[in-house]
Amino acid sequence: MRHMDETDQKILRILQDNARTSLKDMGEKTFLSSPAVSSRIAKLERSGVITGYRGLIDSEKLGYHIETFISVAVSGERKTAFYRKIEASPQVLECFGVTGRYSVLLKAVFPGKEELERFQKDMETFGKVSVQVVLSRPFENRGISVEEAPVMKGS
């Protein structure tokens, strides 16, 4: 997307705060009609700026009391098998290829320590593993600062 104005930025902020905000409410906040808001959202979706909508779910309320970040040093020849394994692992929420000592970073949740320990041992078959258990979240799900986005500068 080549150019976003302040109204597009405001729409993105609103959607990041609550994607279920009605077009009418967004229109009131941006001084646009509902069809104009809908048109702008469609443009942002077509351009790939908006990639989807999701409900945020409290994993603890579903019985997943342990949230973790797991680093795994997976060698190149094992990556295909590793990715197949974690794609089939419902406790893995996100997977990132990263630089540094470890090649993969996983975000995963577990009901208890036994399940975490079993998963850790399973991951050790692919390489060195480091597990960090989340103790607190000073803040979470903070949206991207649309005002500071590089695409905005010099557009």
Side-chain angles (χ1 to χ4, degrees):
M1 177 158 200
R2 302 220 8 100
H3 178 70
M4 285 193 297
D5 61 17
E6 287 183 28
T7 303
D8 290 329
Q9 292 175 19
K10 191 168 222 175
I11 289 169
L12 290 174
R13 278 194 307 276
I14 292 167
L15 289 172
Q16 285 185 113
D17 288 341
N18 181 1
R20 292 181 54 121
T21 302
S22 71
L23 293 174
K24 179 180 181 278
D25 287 346
M26 280 192 260
E28 288 172 3
K29 292 175 181 173
T30 58
F31 306 104
L32 296 174
S33 66
S34 294
V37 171
S38 179
S39 174
R40 283 180 178 253
I41 290 172
K43 182 175 123 187
L44 291 164
E45 290 170 345
R46 280 192 308 276
S47 69
V49 172
I50 297 174
T51 60
Y53 303 88
R54 293 194 169 164
L56 300 175
I57 297 171
D58 185 330
S59 58
E60 275 201 57
K61 291 206 166 89
L62 292 179
Y64 297 101
H65 301 288
I66 300 175
E67 182 177 23
T68 64
F69 288 93
I70 301 172
S71 300
V72 187
V74 183
S75 62
E77 64 272 3
R78 305 280 331 261
K79 280 200 175 173
T80 301
F82 173 80
Y83 288 137
R84 256 197 312 270
K85 176 72 174 177
I86 61 167
E87 281 182 42
S89 301
Q91 63 271 37
V92 176
L93 305 178
E94 296 184 67
C95 174
F96 307 92
V98 296
T99 61
R101 181 184 297 171
Y102 298 92
S103 54
V104 177
L105 177 66
L106 306 174
K107 179 179 179 184
V109 293
F110 302 91
K113 20 183 210 185
E114 295 82 15
E115 293 84 2
L116 169 56
E117 185 176 16
R118 193 169 28 256
F119 185 82
Q120 180 179 350
K121 285 184 189 327
D122 199 16
M123 291 297 101
E124 287 172 351
T125 64
F126 293 99
K128 185 175 178 178
V129 175
S130 175
V131 177
Q132 294 81 44
V133 174
V134 175
L135 299 177
S136 67
R137 291 181 188 207
F139 63 87
E140 63 181 319
N141 298 316
R142 179 167 68 182
I144 294 172
S145 173
V146 295
E147 297 82 6
E148 301 298 321
V151 73
M152 296 302 301
K153 296 178 178 159
S155 294

